[in-house]
Amino acid sequence: MFNAWREFKRNKGKRQDIKLFGFNLEDNLFVLHKELKNETYQPSEYTSFYIKDPKLRNIHKAVVKDRVVHQAIFRLFYYIFDRHFIFDSYSCRFNKGTHKGVDRLEKFIRQVGQNYTRPTYVLKCDVKKFFDSINQEILFELIKKEIKNKRTLNLIQKIIGSFAKAEGRGLPLGNVTSQLFANIYLNELDQFIKHQLKQKYYLRYCDDFIIVGNRLEELNNLIRPIDDFLNNQLELLLHPNKIEIRKVTQGVDFLGYVILPHYRVLRTKTKRRILSKVGSHNLNSYLGVLSHCRGHKIKQKIRVICGLP
């Protein structure tokens, strides 16, 4: 909302209409402001479509007016809630992201394994159908712990309730608010694992999380209490086919990379995807991904594809 308003102020006084995605910005911002002030604002229907990223994902796109509201809420809520998140939560947070998550995991592995001199294992888990399964009532109660203003809570309730995969469940992939709400929801799991289970070498990216240790039995014994907590407190399930404990020497697949002792490489599927999609318009992006791992051979293939020396 704030960026749109600044754009309006910069252009105020010009005779031509200010357009944003095909609508008159000035008129619509005033209408939206009035709706929010009078508490008559209602979210519109979403546009549904699919993308392959690399697996098929169902995206729900909000109209421009709703996206303006979502951005305003995100900017307001981010700093209120982010201060409560653990350091090692890496999804959709400023100064975090996939590369820092992989760097941190590699650091954990070196620390636990005393620089690869001791046997080291990782427990890797995934929440089953996470975004579709979020209980909206539980989410709203978590938000209420920090937000007390009734008008703001009414607005949040409308946004949460504007989408449902099943009755009272789900968040739309595509909303900037969904990413923040997901972190608010799974922060409960983070706090449980860090403070109740006392796991120092734990990190999470969205609904994927990893615990590093050097005792196979201890890691295996963590699965049941984690699953019970998800079931009882958040009404979520661990994906039964995505629970694994691996030796670091076998390679740890996380966020597109495979971490091995002393080096990392790209996941095979990621390599194939890059080679199938690379072109001059995204060359720097892919070379940036490769700068975080050992990838000389694939760099050479990319240069051949793009006709570079």
Side-chain angles (χ1 to χ4, degrees):
M1 181 182 293
F2 308 118
N3 282 339
W5 184 253
R6 280 199 295 268
E7 183 65 21
F8 162 62
K9 297 293 284 185
R10 279 197 297 268
N11 289 277
K12 191 175 182 182
K14 293 183 179 181
R15 291 185 179 181
Q16 70 270 26
D17 287 339
I18 305 162
K19 299 289 183 178
L20 178 64
F21 299 100
F23 68 81
N24 185 303
L25 177 59
E26 178 181 356
D27 291 346
N28 282 278
L29 280 177
F30 281 121
V31 169
L32 178 57
H33 176 266
K34 184 176 180 180
E35 289 178 354
L36 292 169
K37 185 177 180 180
N38 295 338
E39 298 188 76
T40 58
Y41 165 80
Q42 292 293 336
S44 301
E45 294 290 324
Y46 292 91
T47 300
S48 174
F49 60 94
Y50 289 87
I51 63 170
K52 202 168 185 180
D53 180 40
K55 66 181 181 182
L56 201 64
R57 297 181 186 276
N58 190 193
I59 305 298
H60 289 82
K61 181 180 177 182
V63 300
V64 174
K65 180 179 75 170
D66 293 342
R67 297 207 301 272
V68 170
V69 176
H70 299 164
Q71 283 287 347
I73 289 170
F74 178 85
R75 291 180 181 220
L76 176 65
F77 276 27
Y78 180 87
Y79 293 103
I80 294 173
F81 286 95
D82 190 76
R83 61 186 176 176
H84 298 294
F85 297 161
I86 65 169
F87 181 86
D88 289 308
S89 164
Y90 287 90
S91 175
C92 301
R93 297 177 68 193
F94 299 149
N95 301 314
K96 299 289 184 178
T98 56
H99 295 136
K100 289 196 175 181
V102 174
D103 289 344
R104 184 69 163 173
L105 175 57
E106 199 168 52
K107 182 178 180 180
F108 281 174
I109 289 170
R110 289 198 309 270
Q111 289 177 335
V112 173
Q114 295 182 3
N115 206 25
Y116 306 108
T117 61
R118 298 179 62 190
T120 308
Y121 303 87
V122 296
L123 167 63
K124 184 180 173 186
C125 300
D126 180 290
V127 178
K128 186 177 181 180
K129 296 183 178 178
F130 170 56
F131 277 92
D132 290 348
S133 303
I134 288 173
N135 183 302
Q136 295 176 352
E137 185 177 348
I138 293 175
L139 171 62
F140 188 62
E141 290 300 316
L142 293 173
I143 292 172
K144 280 171 65 176
K145 291 180 180 179
E146 292 295 321
I147 305 299
K148 304 302 180 184
N149 183 278
K150 289 184 179 180
R151 291 165 62 91
T152 303
L153 288 172
N154 287 340
L155 176 61
I156 296 305
Q157 200 161 34
K158 288 179 182 179
I159 291 171
I160 292 174
S162 67
F163 173 88
K165 199 69 177 181
E167 186 175 354
R169 290 188 177 272
L171 290 177
L173 282 173
N175 279 8
V176 66
T177 50
S178 295
Q179 307 300 327
L180 178 60
F181 291 163
N183 275 336
I184 292 170
Y185 206 79
L186 284 184
N187 182 55
E188 300 300 299
L189 174 66
D190 298 341
Q191 300 296 335
F192 172 73
I193 292 176
K194 293 289 284 186
H195 301 298
Q196 299 298 315
L197 299 183
K198 302 194 182 299
Q199 294 303 303
K200 180 179 179 181
Y201 300 105
Y202 162 84
L203 60 82
R204 178 178 62 80
Y205 187 95
C206 196
D207 59 330
D208 295 325
F209 59 92
I210 280 183
I211 302 173
V212 184
N214 41 35
R215 293 190 179 180
L216 183 62
E217 185 178 0
E218 286 184 3
L219 288 177
N220 194 59
N221 288 339
L222 293 173
I223 296 171
R224 180 62 181 271
I226 289 172
D227 196 31
D228 287 346
F229 179 86
L230 285 170
N231 270 272
N232 298 330
Q233 302 300 318
L234 299 176
E235 297 188 5
L236 298 173
L237 297 171
L238 286 178
H239 198 303
N241 299 327
K242 294 184 179 180
I243 302 171
E244 61 176 349
I245 300 176
R246 293 175 67 86
K247 276 187 176 180
V248 169
T249 52
Q250 295 176 294
V252 181
D253 188 334
F254 189 57
L255 302 179
Y257 296 94
V258 177
I259 298 172
L260 290 149
H262 305 293
Y263 70 100
R264 74 179 75 151
V265 296
L266 274 184
R267 179 191 294 159
T268 301
K269 288 183 180 179
T270 307
K271 289 180 187 177
R272 290 173 182 164
R273 190 165 73 251
I274 286 177
L275 291 173
S276 69
K277 293 184 177 181
V278 70
S280 58
H281 65 287
N282 56 19
L283 175 62
N284 288 335
S285 175
Y286 287 138
L287 290 177
V289 170
L290 288 165
S291 70
H292 295 270
C293 67
R294 183 181 292 183
H296 178 71
K297 289 183 180 179
I298 189 173
K299 285 180 184 177
Q300 292 299 103
K301 290 181 180 180
I302 287 174
R303 290 183 179 279
V304 171
I305 292 171
C306 294
L308 298 173

